[in-house]
Amino acid sequence: MNYINAPIPSDCDVKIEIYAIINHVLGMEQGVYKEGVYQKIGDFSQKAGYLCLEQSLGMESGVTFFLVGHDDQNYQALLQKAGILGHRLYVISEYLGFGCSGIGAYYDEEVMAFLQTEGMILYALAIGR
Ligand SMILES: Cc1cc2nc3c(=O)[nH]c(=O)nc-3n(C[C@H](O)[C@H](O)[C@H](O)COP(=O)(O)O)c2cc1C
């Protein structure tokens, strides 16, 4: 219990970049979004499923998100921050009736290559269908 209740470090001012693979969203083109800006246009749903350790939830989602951070000196705090951001996304998606799944299993290095980032892939989430 002491361990579970230990203080959560909150000195993490490192920005977490939010990448979104738009698979099936009415009124939006399919493609890869970084911080709300299209990086690539196209149907990457199969790729998204593959990157999520070949789990279909990454392919069948409306949107598959990857949260990316760049500071490996502050890894624990960064990971916890990604968890908080990810679960805000989880809660709002459930509230809006889209549904959400956290995804902890993905091919880190292949996600980095696909997103063209040197950052660490901290968390993935799939929302909607
Ligand atoms: C950090 C985290 C990582 C997860 N990773 C996966 C995953 O890789 N694959 C998967 O099928 N579910 C994963 N889940 C579980 C789903 O998010 C979800 O909670 C679970 O499928 C239960 O869904 P249900 O409430 O619809 O039954 C993960 C959950 C969390 C919190």
Side-chain angles (χ1 to χ4, degrees):
M1 292 304 293
N2 287 341
Y3 184 72
I4 294 168
N5 286 319
I8 296 172
S10 59
D11 60 341
C12 184
D13 56 3
V14 176
K15 182 164 172 51
I16 291 182
E17 293 168 340
I18 299 181
Y19 289 78
I21 303 180
I22 312 295
N23 291 330
H24 314 284
V25 179
L26 273 179
M28 291 184 78
E29 281 201 83
Q30 291 179 302
V32 180
Y33 244 50
K34 177 187 176 186
E35 300 286 289
V37 178
Y38 276 108
Q39 303 290 298
K40 305 181 199 179
I41 302 283
D43 180 357
F44 299 104
S45 57
Q46 299 262 353
K47 181 76 178 178
Y50 170 77
L51 292 173
C52 294
L53 219 70
E54 299 162 61
Q55 299 182 88
S56 58
L57 76 176
M59 175 182 74
E60 293 170 355
S61 67
V63 185
T64 295
F65 289 88
F66 291 101
L67 308 188
V68 179
H70 288 269
D71 183 5
D72 57 3
Q73 302 302 307
N74 205 4
Y75 182 67
Q76 184 183 347
L78 191 60
L79 207 57
Q80 285 169 336
K81 187 173 178 181
I84 292 167
L85 263 62
H87 283 261
R88 286 180 182 159
L89 175 60
Y90 205 122
V91 168
I92 192 72
S93 299
E94 292 289 341
Y95 176 75
L96 293 171
F98 301 146
C100 182
S101 178
I103 302 175
Y106 42 78
Y107 294 119
D108 298 61
E109 287 171 11
E110 292 184 60
V111 177
M112 289 168 65
F114 176 67
L115 298 178
Q116 297 172 290
T117 179
E118 293 297 312
M120 291 178 289
I121 313 303
L122 302 168
Y123 198 6
L125 299 108
I127 70 166
R129 282 179 180 272

